[in-house]
Amino acid sequence: MFIKVVKTIKKGDEFVDKKYLWTWSVWIGIMTFIYVFIYALLPAFATNVLWMTFVALPIFFGGGALVKEIPHYFCSAVAGVLWGWLMLQTAGFMTQAGINAALSLGFAVGFGTFLAIGIHMIPLGNTLLGKVTIVFGSAAMCFATGGENLVTVIGTLLGGLVLGAIFTVGGDLLQKYVFNKKAEDLEEVKA
């Protein structure tokens, strides 16, 4: 029978200290409070897109949460918003030309998605514009606003990425300076 030296959760090949996770959760909560408080004081708050911050976060974390990749995520997010706007404009143009609205929207979004994803995965995959997940997510954020307030949408997505970086850096600092733990410090011992 084995017990852990410290109460830990085994996640893959890593051991994660539960106390660390709770402490990091407090850090995330405090930083979220500060972010939302500041955002609520800005004119952008009136556009009702604060929630987009919390869409950018899981996209960033799902991609590994590497702070050095923030410029890649930001440039890709801007491209995604522009793709979303282009899809909406195309659908509107087709509808005004007399084509059925559902067919217009289906074509614009389907073909636009094909182009956006293909272009950002293949020729742009290894560039600042190669984060396909946020291209796709940002296009959806543009749809949610009907293609309006694009600067606010882009700024809010950037806010989500910056908040994700703050979470990550804070977590790294907690591990290094508060908990002084590494995976090899949390060994299993025989009972």
Side-chain angles (χ1 to χ4, degrees):
M1 180 153 112
F2 292 94
I3 59 170
K4 305 279 187 288
V5 173
V6 194
K7 290 183 181 177
T8 60
I9 300 170
K10 185 165 183 169
K11 185 177 183 182
D13 292 332
E14 283 183 48
F15 288 101
V16 182
D17 186 331
K18 289 180 188 178
K19 187 174 180 184
Y20 161 73
L21 292 176
W22 280 112
T23 306
W24 190 38
S25 295
V26 169
W27 169 254
I28 289 170
I30 291 168
M31 293 300 103
T32 300
F33 166 80
I34 292 168
Y35 176 86
V36 171
F37 177 78
I38 292 169
Y39 192 99
L41 298 173
L42 300 173
F45 186 67
T47 62
N48 238 1
V49 298
L50 170 63
W51 61 272
M52 292 181 183
T53 300
F54 304 100
V55 172
L57 276 169
I59 293 172
F60 176 67
F61 278 99
L66 299 174
V67 175
K68 68 182 181 182
E69 292 185 347
I70 293 283
H72 295 261
Y73 279 96
F74 177 67
C75 292
S76 296
V78 171
V81 169
L82 296 176
W83 277 108
W85 181 83
L86 185 61
M87 290 178 214
L88 289 171
Q89 295 304 309
T90 301
F93 175 77
M94 291 175 68
T95 301
Q96 288 177 351
I99 300 171
N100 175 280
L103 182 61
S104 296
L105 185 62
F107 174 79
V109 174
F111 189 66
T113 298
F114 158 73
L115 288 176
I117 302 308
I119 289 170
H120 289 273
M121 276 196 309
I122 302 164
L124 299 177
N126 293 320
T127 71
L128 284 172
L129 298 168
K131 295 296 181 186
V132 176
T133 53
I134 202 150
V135 169
F136 201 67
S138 298
M141 297 305 99
C142 182
F143 297 160
T145 65
E148 297 180 12
N149 302 312
L150 299 184
V151 172
T152 302
V153 169
I154 291 167
T156 303
L157 291 167
L158 175 61
L161 296 171
V162 169
L163 191 57
I166 290 169
F167 293 169
T168 300
V169 170
D172 292 347
L173 292 173
L174 282 170
Q175 278 191 338
K176 185 174 182 179
Y177 294 108
V178 176
F179 290 92
N180 291 325
K181 301 266 191 231
K182 297 178 184 170
E184 58 269 13
D185 294 338
L186 305 171
E187 300 175 21
E188 295 181 328
V189 295
K190 290 184 180 181

